């Protein structure tokens, strides 16, 4: 069970790691969406930036139960995965939801960086300890592309 908790937290941390901060520049608001598909599973990440600094991140991932060892039903998934969501509940600026379907679950994460305190976000506080302390869109996009995400044309 601990292995599955690590799997879910690793996914959350992966999304946060894409937000490694550096210097921001620019002069307007921009929204970009990237998607990664592996078999039936998928992750879609949307970043909203103002003056190149990320102000909001949202992601939706779809994971089919047959891709998780030891999970054969919705009930199995709920028992295994629900406890991993508990540490993410009640954090200001973080909206985390799980929706269990018959053969898959949908995980939705939304972070509003104008509200969220980085020290309250698991794993993010350490990533933000640098000179500037902002979340740079260009670096996040580069990180997503390096991990195989493709831009979704709007």
């Amino acid at each position: 069970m601990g292995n599955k908790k690590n799997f879910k937290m690793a996914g959350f941390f992966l999304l946060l790691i894409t937000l490694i901060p550096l210097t921001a520049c620019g002069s307007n608001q921009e929204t970009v969406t990237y998607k990664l598909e592996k078999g039936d599973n998928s992750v879609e990440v949307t970043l909203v930036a103002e003056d190149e600094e990320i102000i909001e991140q949202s992601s939706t991932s779809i994971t089919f139960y047959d891709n998780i060892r030891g999970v054969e039903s919705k009930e199995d998934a709920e028992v295994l995965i629900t406890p991993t969501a508990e540490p993410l509940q009640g954090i200001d600026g973080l909206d985390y939801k799980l929706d269990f379907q018959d053969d898959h679950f949908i995980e939705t994460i939304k972070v509003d960086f104008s509200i969220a305190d980085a020290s309250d976000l698991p794993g993010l506080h350490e990533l933000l300890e640098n000179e500037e302390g902002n979340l740079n869109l260009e670096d996040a996009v580069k990180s997503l592309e390096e991990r195989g995400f493709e831009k979704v044309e709007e």
Side-chain angles (χ1 to χ4, degrees):
M1 184 162 148
N3 193 19
K4 297 304 173 199
K5 182 177 180 181
N6 290 339
F7 172 76
K8 294 298 298 162
M9 292 305 285
F12 179 68
F13 292 142
L14 172 65
L15 291 174
L16 293 177
I17 287 171
T18 63
L19 302 176
I20 295 173
L22 288 175
T23 314
C25 58
S27 62
N28 57 12
Q29 193 172 66
E30 180 180 1
T31 301
V32 295
T33 301
Y34 280 80
K35 188 168 188 172
L36 176 66
E37 294 180 335
K38 297 261 183 176
D40 293 336
N41 301 322
S42 66
V43 178
E44 186 171 286
V45 178
T46 300
L47 303 170
V48 179
E50 188 170 295
D51 296 326
E52 286 296 313
E53 182 177 343
I54 297 171
I55 57 173
E56 183 179 293
Q57 171 192 342
S58 59
S59 66
T60 302
S61 63
I62 299 172
T63 305
F64 283 79
Y65 303 141
D66 60 1
N67 292 308
I68 304 172
R69 188 174 0 152
V71 174
E72 296 179 13
S73 68
K74 175 181 176 179
E75 292 76 20
D76 290 346
E78 288 175 337
V79 167
L80 183 65
I81 298 166
T82 299
T84 66
E86 290 173 12
L88 304 174
Q89 301 303 317
I91 297 174
D92 289 338
L94 174 67
D95 186 20
Y96 183 88
K97 295 179 183 170
L98 290 170
D99 179 18
F100 294 94
Q101 302 292 313
D102 289 336
D103 61 350
H104 68 280
F105 72 95
I106 302 167
E107 176 184 48
T108 306
I109 303 168
K110 182 177 179 181
V111 182
D112 181 341
F113 291 103
S114 69
I115 298 171
D117 181 350
S119 64
D120 291 337
L121 299 172
L124 184 61
H125 181 67
E126 294 78 18
L127 295 174
L128 293 176
E129 290 183 355
N130 76 354
E131 319 76 62
E132 292 84 20
N134 63 356
L135 305 168
N136 183 272
L137 180 62
E138 182 180 340
D139 295 317
V141 165
K142 181 179 175 184
S143 182
L144 286 169
E145 290 174 347
E146 287 172 352
R147 288 172 172 76
F149 282 77
E150 294 182 2
K151 187 172 185 178
V152 175
E153 299 301 327
E154 298 175 21

